[in-house]
Amino acid sequence: KQEVTQIPAALSVPEGENLVLNCSFTDSAIYNLQWFRQDPGKGLTSLLLIQSSQREQTSGRLNASLDKSSGRSTLYIAASQPGDSATYLCAVKDSGAGSYQLTFGKGTKLSVIP
Amino acid sequence: DARVTQTPRDKVTEMGQEVTMRCQPILGHNTVFWYRQTMMQGLELLAYFRNRAPLDDSGMPKDRFSAEMPDATLATLKIQPSEPRDSAVYFCASGLAEKTRDSNTGELFFGEGSRLTVL
């Protein structure tokens, strides 16, 4: 059974700092990995989707990398801003035939201090 | 701007009452998921529909929960009778499955959620 772990559970950084959020998964046979952002009381907003054949994806100040063999993904946020404060979740979709559901981590709560 | 729409946003009810949550998936999407989020458990899959057919509802307590898709624009999740332990945020998500594989190929899009409090 796939398990997804995000460490740390919470992170506080000063504004302007570059930071890395970590995600690890136990079964490397994945189809894709998706990073989401969740603001308090809101739904999940998709940030980046990495297919299993890709090594990284970039969107603005965000860069997500994927190392399937080691079961790891990182989300890099450059020049952090207070508006980046949110909970970030990663989710993996297994590659087995008929697989459809995402397995989520518990998230990393990020606070960017002005 | 296409988005998944959920109603109600907030619901407070008493134990034993029936609760129905509704979801309008993004037009053209053919997969719908219901998730429940709690502080302790995180996100848990309750049900999965593809082309309106329920393919997995193993995450739901069968005696009290039911999920349906009366048509392609509406998914419902019903709890009857509700219990305090059902208090959580319920999310609906939709996506587009590949034509050649029974799986999602791309992104999953979530609604804003329905916050349920059962007293």
Side-chain angles (χ1 to χ4, degrees):
Chain A
K1 178 185 174 185
Q2 180 73 269
E3 294 182 3
V4 179
T5 303
Q6 294 184 249
I7 295 174
L11 180 64
S12 184
V13 300
E15 181 178 3
E17 191 165 294
N18 302 326
L19 61 101
V20 174
L21 305 180
N22 296 297
C23 172
S24 62
F25 45 94
T26 54
D27 187 346
S28 62
I30 67 169
Y31 187 70
N32 62 35
L33 182 146
Q34 196 167 350
W35 281 94
F36 293 89
R37 168 186 173 139
Q38 185 175 27
D39 292 285
K42 299 288 188 180
L44 280 70
T45 300
S46 178
L47 297 174
L48 289 165
L49 173 73
I50 310 178
Q51 302 291 354
S52 62
S53 58
Q54 298 173 324
R55 295 298 300 265
E56 65 177 349
Q57 283 286 334
T58 298
S59 175
R61 294 182 294 110
L62 305 180
N63 176 277
S65 67
L66 174 64
D67 184 343
K68 268 200 331 177
S69 60
S70 66
R72 293 178 183 175
S73 176
T74 62
L75 179 66
Y76 174 83
I77 302 178
S80 59
Q81 303 170 358
D84 295 330
S85 298
T87 297
Y88 291 81
L89 298 101
C90 75
V92 301
K93 180 176 176 299
D94 295 333
S95 61
S99 179
Y100 51 83
Q101 72 165 292
L102 297 181
T103 302
F104 283 85
K106 294 283 181 69
T108 294
K109 185 175 182 179
L110 173 65
S111 299
V112 180
I113 311 302
Chain B
D1 187 24
R3 62 182 64 187
V4 177
T5 304
Q6 289 187 246
T7 57
R9 290 297 314 278
D10 281 283
K11 175 74 174 179
V12 180
T13 190
E14 293 187 346
M15 182 173 63
Q17 296 297 305
E18 177 179 304
V19 175
T20 298
M21 290 167 275
R22 294 176 173 81
C23 167
Q24 181 176 359
I26 293 174
L27 188 65
H29 282 182
N30 60 355
T31 62
V32 172
F33 298 77
W34 282 103
Y35 282 90
R36 175 170 61 185
Q37 187 179 41
T38 61
M39 288 291 292
M40 291 296 295
Q41 300 295 329
L43 278 157
E44 303 173 282
L45 179 67
L46 297 176
Y48 164 64
F49 290 80
R50 178 187 165 103
N51 295 325
R52 294 178 54 202
L55 296 189
D56 185 358
D57 60 1
S58 58
M60 295 196 310
K62 297 294 189 300
D63 56 337
R64 299 185 300 108
F65 284 59
S66 62
E68 297 179 347
M69 278 201 76
D71 60 61
T73 64
L74 177 64
T76 63
L77 179 66
K78 184 179 296 185
I79 308 174
Q80 167 63 24
S82 58
E83 297 181 0
R85 58 179 168 156
D86 300 329
S87 297
V89 182
Y90 291 81
F91 287 104
C92 173
S94 72
L96 190 62
E98 281 187 31
K99 294 179 181 179
T100 56
R101 289 185 55 181
D102 183 27
S103 60
N104 275 17
T105 182
E107 293 176 270
L108 206 56
F109 296 86
F110 280 74
E112 297 271 278
S114 294
R115 180 177 297 276
L116 174 65
T117 304
V118 183
L119 303 175

